[in-house]
Amino acid sequence: GQNIDQPTEMTATEGAIVQINCTYQTSGFNGLFWYQQHAGEAPTFLSYNVLDGLEEKGRFSSFLSRSKGYSYLLLKELQMKDSASYLCAVLDSNYQLIWGAGTKLIIKP
Amino acid sequence: DVKVTQSSRYLVKRTGEKVFLECVQDMDHENMFWYRQDPGLGLRLIYFSYDVKMKEKGDIPEGYSVSREKKERFSLILESASTNQTSMYLCASSPSALITYGYTFGSGTRLTVV
């Protein structure tokens, strides 16, 4: 079956760095997405990786290793507004998005 | 910016009622999706559509149907609402040729069935 694993919840301190991991086992791979979702709101697109390596976008970076079935989202200089759930999703061989359950990130002052 | 609009933010319905959830997008996207989101389970695909009048079952289609008579509108129908359909419902759209840009989601409808 298809499976995406990410931690349920993480806590970090304002100003610090946090890494949210995602491991996947899917039928085929056409890319991996990270979305941010604030409580009660819609998910919003953060990043897309299809090649191995690190993609940096401001305070957020996303890394992919296809051989290991692994990705992480790195958030630097954490701000209180980064408190949200972070969703990992993989585009499979049928171009269907398979979603992880999400990681709730709590930022403390 | 692409806008995906869901008709209601909050909805309370009685068991057995027929419920319509409407979704409209304004960027001429071919693909539209309906998900439900429950704590600890992530997003689960109910139905999707790649074109007008076309529909495909997702992972959990039981108890639901959809309608896509126009490209911009994708409706989700709960034929006879039940309490286990209490959930957050999210509509999304994407262009077929630019799937790597991801999906754009509506703000969601929180449905409570009593």
Side-chain angles (χ1 to χ4, degrees), chain A residues 8 11 34 48 77 86 89-90 109:
Chain A
T8 303
T11 303
W34 283 97
Y48 170 74
E77 302 168 16
Y86 291 85
V90 170

Side-chain angles (χ1 to χ4, degrees), chain A residues 8-23:
Chain A
T8 303
E9 188 173 296
M10 299 181 71
T11 303
T13 305
E14 190 177 15
I17 299 173
V18 71
Q19 178 176 309
I20 303 174
N21 295 326
C22 171
T23 59

Side-chain angles (χ1 to χ4, degrees), chain A residues 8 85 101-102, chain B residues 36-44 86-88 110:
Chain A
T8 303
S85 288
Chain B
R36 64 177 283 177
Q37 186 176 32
D38 300 288
L41 294 179
L43 288 166
R44 292 183 291 167
T86 291
S87 186
M88 169 70 90
R110 186 164 293 281

Side-chain angles (χ1 to χ4, degrees), chain A residues 8 30 33 35 37 39-45 47-48 50 85 87 91 94-102, chain B residues 9-10 33 35 37 40-45 48 50 59 88 90 99-108 110:
Chain A
T8 303
N30 281 298
F33 291 87
Y35 279 79
Q37 186 179 25
E41 296 183 12
T44 55
F45 172 85
S47 67
Y48 170 74
V50 66
S85 288
L87 312 180
L91 205 56
N94 295 319
Y95 288 92
Q96 295 287 342
L97 266 182
I98 311 301
W99 295 85
Chain B
R9 197 73 194 263
Y10 298 95
F33 308 84
Y35 287 92
Q37 186 176 32
L41 294 179
L43 288 166
R44 292 183 291 167
L45 183 63
F48 61 99
Y50 288 154
D59 300 319
M88 169 70 90
L90 288 164
I99 189 68
T100 56
Y101 278 57
Y103 295 3
T104 301
F105 285 86
S107 2
R110 186 164 293 281

